[in-house]
């Protein structure tokens, strides 16, 4: 086999297409999919050397697989990490990270505005193992500061947040973490490395749900953890080797192909989202639009510094509460009524009755999830067709 390797000077778009693949002696141009559970050794001596770690190489697909390694190397290079571990889903990426790196008694400080299932994982499951979680407001650095103490091991955020697109200064949060000998973990699902590279801003670990924009076509479940420190990557890989939430090679192949077009897709997502957000902002039936690409976003200056584009999540509040929001949703014919995001297809959701439906009314009010709020994940259809579809319910 021949490792294509990569000169570190390559730009991200080139890394996305040219790195990570080990071409076989067949000379194939596209990547092969290695659907094998185990790997054969030349001799008993070689088997022993592989197991002891004296000789690098594949052993068993729960540990490593060449197709999965292709995806891992590509994503690691795009995020500018030293290593990446691919997992069966975004949730197993989060679980594997904390199972591998935390001890009972450790404390986490976590933004309140994160993916709902991540909240359940932190409270219900990490809590069982004696890991304590403090929730704080994403944008309020004083709350972050006040929640940190000598037991704090990790700070955890999503930026921009879902669905209100609030952001936090990653550099400042990383500095705060490091002052407390803690590390900063960023779930970079919404921006992807095409729009934001948290490790270059001081974060230590990046989490992905590959299910979203990395695949970008709603085809498969997967996740990834990208690390700035090789020791973290090794610890997480050790957890997967033992506990098994590994990515299937077929999914790794899909995600590897997804990365090849990620930059160009994210640019198109951002353009469509910008057109929709501006149209919504000018519509008389719309009270408010939450979108990082609008100059009236309260953190517009930070977004311009930190992100290379606004992303594709647009949320807006219609006059008339839940009845009006449901009417807009029910009048659509093109948009998909689904909670998924990061697809070529535009999706529409009513957060108060779906993703945030488990919260009490007061919790929802505190989180800013109004009854009239609608979330879009803007896809790659022609924006005029999207506008026409939304106009039917709004006009
Ligand atoms: C979807 C999502 C996850 C979970 O990923 P799965 O692949 O569905 O397990 C985690 N974080 C964010 C921000 C997400 O949107």
């Amino acid at each position: 086999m021949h490792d294509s390797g990569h000169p570190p000077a390559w730009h991200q778009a080139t890394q996305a297409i040219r790195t990570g693949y080990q071409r076989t002696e067949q000379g194939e141009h596209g990547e092969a999919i290695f659907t094998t559970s185990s790997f054969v050794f030349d001799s008993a001596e070689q088997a022993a050397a592989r197991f002891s770690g004296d000789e690098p190489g594949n052993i068993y697909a729960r540990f490593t697989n060449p197709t999965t390694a292709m995806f891992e190397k590509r994503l690691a290079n795009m995020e500018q990490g030293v290593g990446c571990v691919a997992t069966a889903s975004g949730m197993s990426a989060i679980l594997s990270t904390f199972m591998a790196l935390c001890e009972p008694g450790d404390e986490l400080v976590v933004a309140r505005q994160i993916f709902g299932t991540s909240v359940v994982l932190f409270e219900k499951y990490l809590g069982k193992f004696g890991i304590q979680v403090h929730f704080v407001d994403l944008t309020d650095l004083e709350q972050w500061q006040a929640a940190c103490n000598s037991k704090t091991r990790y700070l955890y955020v999503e930026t921009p947040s879902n669905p209100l697109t609030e952001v936090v200064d990653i550099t400042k949060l990383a500095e705060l973490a490091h002052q407390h000998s803690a590390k900063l973990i960023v779930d970079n699902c919404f921006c992807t490395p095409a729009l934001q590279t948290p490790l270059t801003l001081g974060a230590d670990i990046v989490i992905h749900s590959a299910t979203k924009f990395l695949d970008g076509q709603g085809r498969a479940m997967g996740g990834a953890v990208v690390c700035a420190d090789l020791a973290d990557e090794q610890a997480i890989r050790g957890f997967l080797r033992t506990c098994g939430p590994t990515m299937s090679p077929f999914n790794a192949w899909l995600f590897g192909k997804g990365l090849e077009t990620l930059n160009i897709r994210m640019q198109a997502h951002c353009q469509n989202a910008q057109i929709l957000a501006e149209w919504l902002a000018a519509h008389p039936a719309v009270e408010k639009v939450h979108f990082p690409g609008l100059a009236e976003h309260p953190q517009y200056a930070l977004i311009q510094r930190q992100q290379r584009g606004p992303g594709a999540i647009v949320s807006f509040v219609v006059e008339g509460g839940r009845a009006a929001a449901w009417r807009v949703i029910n009048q659509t014919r093109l948009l998909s009524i689904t909670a998924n995001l990061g697809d070529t297809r535009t999706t529409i959701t009513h957060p108060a009755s779906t993703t945030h439906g488990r919260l009490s009314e007061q919790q929802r009010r505190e989180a800013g999830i109004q009854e009239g709020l609608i979330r879009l994940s803007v896809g790659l259809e022609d924006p005029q067709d999207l506008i026409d579809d939304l106009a039917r319910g709004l006009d």
Side-chain angles (χ1 to χ4, degrees), residues 275-291:
I275 292 168
L276 243 67
E278 287 175 11
W279 177 77
L280 286 164
H283 198 289
V286 174
E287 274 175 19
K288 185 164 178 55
V289 180
H290 302 271
F291 182 62

Side-chain angles (χ1 to χ4, degrees), residues 89-91 115 158 187 189 209 211-212 221-222:
S89 67
M91 292 320 300
F115 187 61
E158 286 165 25
D187 180 333
C189 183
S209 166
T211 317
K212 312 292 168 54
M221 300 285 309

Side-chain angles (χ1 to χ4, degrees), residues 337-352:
I337 307 173
T338 169
N340 193 32
L341 58 91
D343 200 318
T344 50
R345 300 183 170 122
T346 301
T347 64
I348 187 164
T349 316
H350 182 243

